[in-house]
Amino acid sequence: MKLRFASSLLIFLSAYSPLSIIFLIQDFDFAKKEVMHPEIVWPILGLSLLSCVLLWVAVRYLKSSSPPISVKSVSNRSGELINYSIPYMISFFVMDLGNLKLLLSFGFFMFIMYWLTMKTHNIFINPVLAVMGYNIYDVHYERNGNECEDFFLVKGPRLRKNERCRIVEISEQLYVVTERNPEV
């Protein structure tokens, strides 16, 4: 199952939503107490906020009735969040929202980042999900007598060996844990 374009874009935008606040601060004229490029800043800020709210609603209301799986081993992937820092660092260099060439260049760079995160299955290594309490793990598990290894988004503490949980697939090789130690 591949992640739909709209869903992946929503997740990607939410990951970079703090960047919109940085743009707002950088574009704010403190002497005049106004935003210098409101036609750019407000839509970006609104889209960022909308993507975070929709992401929160989506993960909050995921349901699963699949048979429980049994965890064999777990390794953490949340440390890869550092990869999201590159666009944030770029924003601190000359980022004039009134300069069309800079905006187009930054837009192209963000498109390349989106494409790479999709191709490498790193779309869910997302600081906004981390703030919501989700971590991503590489999990080796048993499902219906078969050994599998995939990525799991888990809210709360790390999964433990031999723990049982219910999962729901949200993209190829990526699942969200919807229930831990379920009553069978």
Side-chain angles (χ1 to χ4, degrees):
M1 174 172 138
K2 284 197 165 201
L3 192 61
R4 292 188 181 117
F5 172 75
S7 302
S8 65
L9 189 59
L10 168 82
I11 293 162
F12 182 79
L13 289 174
S14 72
Y16 288 105
S17 59
L19 193 55
S20 66
I21 296 169
I22 293 171
F23 286 159
L24 172 66
I25 293 167
Q26 286 183 343
D27 200 57
F28 192 78
D29 185 336
F30 288 94
K32 295 179 182 177
K33 294 185 172 55
E34 66 182 19
V35 176
M36 294 183 297
H37 301 94
E39 68 282 356
I40 296 170
V41 171
W42 295 126
I44 290 173
L45 194 60
L47 188 60
S48 295
L49 181 61
L50 178 65
S51 69
C52 288
V53 168
L54 291 175
L55 181 65
W56 177 79
V57 168
V59 295
R60 180 161 167 74
Y61 292 104
L62 279 174
K63 300 289 182 212
S64 173
S65 61
S66 68
I69 58 99
S70 181
V71 175
K72 299 297 178 193
S73 67
V74 179
S75 61
N76 195 344
R77 290 197 66 210
S78 294
E80 295 178 27
L81 279 172
I82 195 69
N83 296 338
Y84 274 93
S85 65
I86 295 167
Y88 290 100
M89 289 186 292
I90 289 173
S91 74
F92 288 107
F93 298 108
V94 184
M95 191 63 199
D96 177 10
L97 295 179
N99 185 328
L100 183 60
K101 283 197 257 184
L102 279 175
L103 279 177
L104 291 174
S105 299
F106 186 74
F108 179 72
F109 173 75
M110 292 305 287
F111 169 77
I112 296 296
M113 290 293 292
Y114 168 75
W115 184 74
L116 287 172
T117 58
M118 284 301 297
K119 290 294 182 190
T120 59
H121 301 288
N122 285 331
I123 193 86
F124 288 94
I125 300 173
N126 181 325
V128 173
L129 283 170
V131 167
M132 287 193 263
Y134 286 88
N135 289 301
I136 191 164
Y137 299 100
D138 189 0
V139 179
H140 184 162
Y141 62 101
E142 184 179 312
R143 181 183 208 172
N144 299 326
N146 297 318
E147 299 270 328
C148 304
E149 188 168 355
D150 292 304
F151 303 115
F152 285 19
L153 275 174
V154 180
K155 185 166 184 159
R158 180 183 180 125
L159 292 172
R160 296 178 316 273
K161 185 176 181 177
N162 298 323
E163 185 172 358
R164 295 175 55 79
C165 55
R166 293 186 196 275
I167 56 175
V168 64
E169 183 178 16
I170 53 176
S171 76
E172 181 183 358
Q173 293 185 300
L174 185 73
Y175 295 83
V176 173
V177 172
T178 58
E179 186 180 0
R180 295 176 80 156
N181 300 311
E183 298 290 323
V184 180

